[in-house]
Amino acid sequence: VQLVESGGGSVQSGGSLRLSCVASGYTASNYCMGWFRQAPGKEREGVASIDTDGSTAYGDSVKGRFTISQDNANNTLYLQMNSLVPEDTAMYYCVADLYPALFCRASFNLNALHAWGQGTLVTVSS
């Protein structure tokens, strides 16, 4: 199982970015998939998830601004990030989680993730 993120970069406040995560070695649609982020000196924070039934969930701080989606044909996960603010600055990681899929079904539980990528850095300036 391998996850490779891309799409990070530097943007000004109010801007947009789309992160991508290509999964290899398995079928992403069979997994709970999602994103978490970690800013310097802060705890990891669940951002968004998409479960095997297509249901999605978002962290409170990104609701209404971020959208998670999945291209099953290309085994790729996306995170569309709009209206970015400096507080969104962090390393963003793609994750895959198997049953019981706690990341998707237990408020972004990060304690038993099956796999995660190397991360992609998002920097938002004011």
Side-chain angles (χ1 to χ4, degrees):
V1 174
Q2 185 175 16
L3 301 170
V4 179
E5 303 97 335
S6 63
S10 297
V11 295
Q12 290 193 325
S13 184
S16 299
L17 283 173
R18 188 176 80 155
L19 305 184
S20 300
C21 170
V22 178
S24 59
Y26 69 104
T27 302
S29 59
N30 292 338
Y31 283 63
C32 153
M33 301 288 295
W35 299 86
F36 76 88
R37 66 187 182 186
Q38 187 165 28
K42 294 191 176 181
E43 296 287 324
R44 295 179 299 175
E45 176 189 14
V47 174
S49 67
I50 182 165
D51 209 338
T52 54
D53 63 357
S55 59
T56 58
Y58 297 91
D60 288 341
S61 62
V62 307
K63 279 180 183 175
R65 300 187 297 122
F66 291 12
T67 303
I68 190 170
S69 62
Q70 196 167 17
D71 180 350
N72 293 333
N74 292 302
N75 235 21
T76 302
L77 183 74
Y78 299 102
L79 184 69
Q80 178 66 44
M81 305 186 297
N82 298 328
S83 302
L84 285 162
V85 297
E87 292 72 25
D88 295 319
T89 295
M91 188 73 80
Y92 284 71
Y93 298 88
C94 173
V95 306
D97 205 8
L98 286 170
Y99 180 85
L102 296 181
F103 186 81
C104 287
R105 303 170 190 175
S107 301
F108 305 114
N109 187 301
L110 292 161
N111 295 326
L113 293 174
H114 184 70
W116 56 94
Q118 300 269 18
T120 185
L121 181 62
V122 172
T123 303
V124 184
S125 58
S126 57

